[in-house]
Amino acid sequence: MNVFVIGIGLIGGSLVLDIKNEYQNATIYGIDNSEEHLNKALALNIIDKKATYKDLDIADIVIISIPVDVSLHVIPKVLDGVHDNCLVLDVGSTKELVCKSVENHSKRRNFLAAHPIAGTEFSGPTAAIRNLYKGKTNIICEVEKTAFKLQEKALEIFSKLGMRIRYMDPKSHDKHIAYVSHLSHISSFMLGKTVIDKEKNERDIFDMAGSGFASTVRLAKSSPAMWTPIFEQNKENVIETLEEYIQNLQHFKLLLAENKFDAIYAEMENTNHIKQILNGIQEVKLQ
Amino acid sequence: MNVFVIGIGLIGGSLVLDIKNEYQNATIYGIDNSEEHLNKALALNIIDKKATYKDLDIADIVIISIPVDVSLHVIPKVLDGVHDNCLVLDVGSTKELVCKSVENHSKRRNFLAAHPIAGTEFSGPTAAIRNLYKGKTNIICEVEKTAFKLQEKALEIFSKLGMRIRYMDPKSHDKHIAYVSHLSHISSFMLGKTVIDKEKNERDIFDMAGSGFASTVRLAKSSPAMWTPIFEQNKENVIETLEEYIQNLQHFKLLLAENKFDAIYAEMENTNHIKQILNGIQEVKLQ
């Protein structure tokens, strides 16, 4: 089984590490713009061979794990190059535009749009880890548009890697993921910025920062190259979440200014039941 | 050595667990409004005996780990009741008002204002854990106002528990801690609220939430009883941090709306160096 991975970073690299472990007959081919990444991935045994787009005719599976703006151009090109039984799998964080970009492609049935909800704040091939996807949710969009045999092939892999599958239309995916993922990243980046801006002239002030601060700004270490196109593609939804978030912060500030501490207590108490919601979500530890 | 702890929760409970381990001759006395907490703390061997304020005359050390509004009334009362060589240690998250509350007390030299920057999002005696303070920063305010022998006693304990000491005036403490701790809690609570409000009618949507969301909203599980008085006492500083944070979020939203994605990339890249800042801060894992 020839598995190609285009973009060998945290997401793609971790996927093929597990696939290689589960499928003894898998040969992993890597395609990446960065020669350095390719060499590192080879050295780390994440891939078996370097490859180019010209080699795609021998692929049985192609995993596309690159920034979502680049995917829009790469996916149709990949579909052009693969044989009729090849599964082309996109694993990006936005789904509406990517599904649109292939809707009229003659090989649409070779394509499956997925979003495994897993990751860390690190990037590049050295960030790839085993078992990243174990117990994680994988959202599949427009499953009915993928050939049945290729659906089966994909589901077998996802199952072996330990993922839970949810089906969703691309529009709903992008709307909800803005709340439970994209907004978290912006809140984290802007929190980091606020503190860095304020404290840049204060030496040693970060000695005062504890694990709570580390936890809330962890995502501010994420890759701008990966996240800028995600925010661009999901702009309308992200702006909506930001407006609601800002409104809630302004309301909290007003309660403070007006000394309405009973209301502040109630706001926090009402949000405390996030405990139940978070049950089952594993937090990734700082490394 | 008779060690009294007033308020046997995460902070006070964890302190005496380690003290008991380091000082074989220590007897731990617990005072708490909640009979249930006292009984749990006894059952968990966090304290050796239940006690009341009337017993304070036998105390060698009193640790005050209760909501910061209650501390303002309790600390002078405790100072009234202890003998001349007793160390009274406050470990709350705000320092300006508490230092003011004792500035003219005849036993001011028995008092030390500290803030060990450590914790988890859990509360109550069952949240108390061993080694919580290992490698953590402990901020001491107005050290010169504490009797030298009692400074020594406190520093010995902090050193045995593995804390790093920083000295700071109470005003500066409250200003900076608003940025590196209090703001994180509000951003987390309001992020949790935004998502819960939006998704309350959407079943299963939290299946989509990954480790990033869990990390950014972890602090939204914190105790409102503990945090409301902290925000109240540090209101001016907290409002200032909130204003700057909201401004940064609004600016990010504007960049999105105006399709200034290069600027968005730059914002994130500039904040990425939070990586270096966070080095050394250990994140507490979700349990």
Side-chain angles (χ1 to χ4, degrees):
Chain A
M1 184 169 79
N2 293 329
V3 180
F4 279 62
V5 54
I6 304 182
I8 312 158
L10 165 70
I11 297 301
S14 299
L15 269 171
V16 293
L17 273 179
D18 281 354
I19 289 173
K20 208 171 159 181
N21 188 58
E22 293 291 337
Y23 293 87
Q24 304 305 319
N25 69 337
T27 306
I28 313 292
Y29 294 79
I31 298 180
D32 202 297
N33 276 342
S34 156
E35 194 65 22
E36 193 194 330
H37 277 191
L38 277 175
N39 290 333
K40 250 187 206 156
L42 259 181
L44 293 166
N45 283 319
I46 297 171
I47 61 171
D48 299 310
K49 294 178 183 181
K50 298 188 205 179
T52 71
Y53 285 89
K54 287 177 189 156
D55 305 315
L56 282 173
D57 55 340
I58 60 159
D60 299 305
I61 299 172
V62 183
I63 295 162
I64 296 168
S65 43
I66 51 180
V68 294
D69 54 337
V70 190
S71 294
L72 297 184
H73 312 291
V74 164
I75 295 170
K77 194 169 124 185
V78 168
L79 284 171
D80 291 341
V82 298
H83 63 63
D84 283 350
N85 298 315
C86 179
L87 168 69
V88 177
L89 188 61
D90 160 63
V91 292
S93 294
T94 50
K95 295 269 78 81
E96 200 175 352
L97 282 183
V98 92
C99 285
K100 269 219 179 87
S101 77
V102 293
E103 65 181 348
N104 298 317
H105 197 286
S106 62
K107 288 223 186 86
R108 173 64 184 86
R109 296 186 68 74
N110 292 71
F111 178 73
L112 184 70
H115 181 196
I117 316 277
T120 70
E121 66 277 30
F122 305 107
S123 46
T126 52
I129 49 175
R130 286 285 317 278
N131 294 317
L132 177 62
Y133 300 101
K134 211 169 203 167
K136 305 293 165 59
T137 300
N138 187 7
I139 297 169
I140 295 180
C141 294
E142 299 187 334
V143 68
E144 70 286 355
K145 296 191 179 174
T146 305
F148 186 67
K149 283 205 168 174
L150 298 179
Q151 288 179 31
E152 273 188 324
K153 193 192 264 190
L155 289 176
E156 187 194 270
I157 294 171
F158 298 152
S159 163
K160 287 197 186 212
L161 268 55
M163 299 190 210
R164 306 180 309 165
I165 305 300
R166 296 286 180 274
Y167 298 97
M168 197 174 266
D169 68 277
K171 210 179 168 65
S172 298
H173 168 276
D174 286 9
K175 177 172 174 276
H176 294 304
I177 207 72
Y179 282 92
V180 294
S181 166
H182 302 175
L183 178 58
S184 286
H185 283 78
I186 298 174
S187 87
S188 200
F189 269 110
M190 291 303 101
L191 186 64
K193 179 186 161 72
T194 304
V195 178
I196 290 171
D197 281 358
K198 189 63 186 188
E199 304 288 12
K200 62 188 161 195
N201 297 320
E202 303 278 349
R203 289 175 61 190
D204 302 330
I205 213 64
F206 288 100
D207 274 359
M208 295 178 73
S211 59
F213 181 70
S215 186
T216 41
V217 299
R218 177 169 71 84
L219 298 178
K221 301 189 236 169
S222 303
S223 156
M226 199 57 76
W227 280 94
T228 304
I230 291 173
F231 296 143
E232 181 170 2
Q233 287 196 7
N234 207 17
K235 178 180 142 175
E236 304 303 330
N237 288 317
V238 168
I239 286 179
E240 189 185 310
T241 67
L242 262 175
E243 277 168 357
E244 291 169 21
Y245 183 49
I246 291 169
Q247 234 167 51
N248 282 327
L249 288 164
Q250 278 169 331
H251 179 64
F252 195 94
K253 196 185 74 160
L254 190 72
L255 293 178
L256 268 179
E258 293 178 347
N259 296 315
K260 292 183 174 158
F261 297 106
D262 288 348
I264 282 175
Y265 186 103
E267 287 271 353
M268 291 195 276
E269 199 178 32
N270 289 336
T271 307
N272 266 171
H273 80 269
I274 198 99
K275 281 175 201 170
Q276 284 78 53
I277 291 167
L278 290 177
N279 276 348
I281 305 176
Q282 288 296 314
E283 190 173 7
V284 175
K285 218 185 161 183
L286 268 189
Q287 290 178 350
Chain B
M1 185 169 79
N2 293 329
V3 181
F4 279 62
V5 53
I6 304 181
I8 311 158
L10 164 70
I11 298 300
S14 299
L15 269 171
V16 292
L17 274 179
D18 280 355
I19 289 174
K20 208 171 158 179
N21 188 59
E22 292 291 337
Y23 293 86
Q24 304 305 317
N25 68 337
T27 306
I28 313 293
Y29 294 81
I31 299 179
D32 203 296
N33 275 342
S34 155
E35 194 64 24
E36 193 194 330
H37 277 191
L38 277 174
N39 290 333
K40 253 189 202 153
L42 258 181
L44 292 166
N45 282 318
I46 299 171
I47 60 171
D48 299 310
K49 295 179 183 179
K50 299 188 206 178
T52 71
Y53 287 89
K54 286 177 190 156
D55 306 314
L56 282 172
D57 55 340
I58 60 159
D60 298 304
I61 299 172
V62 183
I63 295 163
I64 297 168
S65 44
I66 51 181
V68 293
D69 54 337
V70 190
S71 293
L72 297 185
H73 312 291
V74 164
I75 295 170
K77 195 169 123 186
V78 169
L79 284 171
D80 291 341
V82 298
H83 62 65
D84 283 350
N85 298 314
C86 179
L87 168 69
V88 177
L89 187 62
D90 160 63
V91 293
S93 294
T94 50
K95 295 267 80 80
E96 201 176 351
L97 282 183
V98 91
C99 284
K100 270 220 179 87
S101 78
V102 293
E103 64 181 348
N104 298 316
H105 198 286
S106 61
K107 289 222 185 84
R108 174 64 185 86
R109 297 186 67 74
N110 292 71
F111 178 72
L112 185 71
H115 180 194
I117 316 275
T120 70
E121 66 277 30
F122 305 108
S123 46
T126 54
I129 49 176
R130 286 284 317 275
N131 293 317
L132 176 63
Y133 300 101
K134 210 169 203 164
K136 305 292 167 59
T137 300
N138 187 6
I139 297 169
I140 294 180
C141 294
E142 300 187 335
V143 68
E144 70 286 355
K145 297 191 177 174
T146 305
F148 185 67
K149 284 206 166 173
L150 298 180
Q151 290 179 31
E152 273 189 324
K153 193 193 262 190
L155 288 176
E156 187 195 89
I157 295 171
F158 298 152
S159 163
K160 287 197 185 215
L161 268 54
M163 300 189 209
R164 305 180 309 165
I165 305 301
R166 295 288 179 273
Y167 298 96
M168 196 173 267
D169 68 278
K171 210 178 168 65
S172 299
H173 168 276
D174 286 8
K175 178 171 173 274
H176 295 303
I177 206 73
Y179 282 93
V180 294
S181 166
H182 302 175
L183 178 59
S184 285
H185 283 78
I186 297 173
S187 87
S188 201
F189 269 110
M190 290 303 101
L191 186 64
K193 178 186 162 72
T194 304
V195 178
I196 290 172
D197 281 358
K198 189 63 185 188
E199 304 289 11
K200 63 188 160 195
N201 298 319
E202 303 279 348
R203 289 175 60 189
D204 301 329
I205 213 63
F206 287 99
D207 274 359
M208 295 178 74
S211 58
F213 180 70
S215 186
T216 41
V217 300
R218 178 169 70 84
L219 298 179
K221 302 190 238 168
S222 303
S223 155
M226 199 58 75
W227 281 94
T228 305
I230 291 173
F231 296 142
E232 181 170 2
Q233 287 196 7
N234 207 17
K235 178 180 141 174
E236 303 304 330
N237 289 316
V238 169
I239 286 179
E240 189 185 311
T241 67
L242 263 175
E243 276 167 358
E244 291 169 21
Y245 183 48
I246 290 169
Q247 235 167 49
N248 283 326
L249 288 163
Q250 278 169 331
H251 180 64
F252 195 94
K253 196 186 74 161
L254 190 70
L255 293 178
L256 266 180
E258 293 179 347
N259 296 314
K260 292 182 174 159
F261 297 107
D262 288 347
I264 283 175
Y265 186 102
E267 288 270 353
M268 291 195 277
E269 198 178 33
N270 289 337
T271 307
N272 266 171
H273 80 269
I274 198 99
K275 281 175 201 169
Q276 284 78 53
I277 291 168
L278 290 177
N279 276 348
I281 304 176
Q282 290 296 315
E283 190 173 8
V284 175
K285 219 184 162 184
L286 268 189
Q287 291 179 348

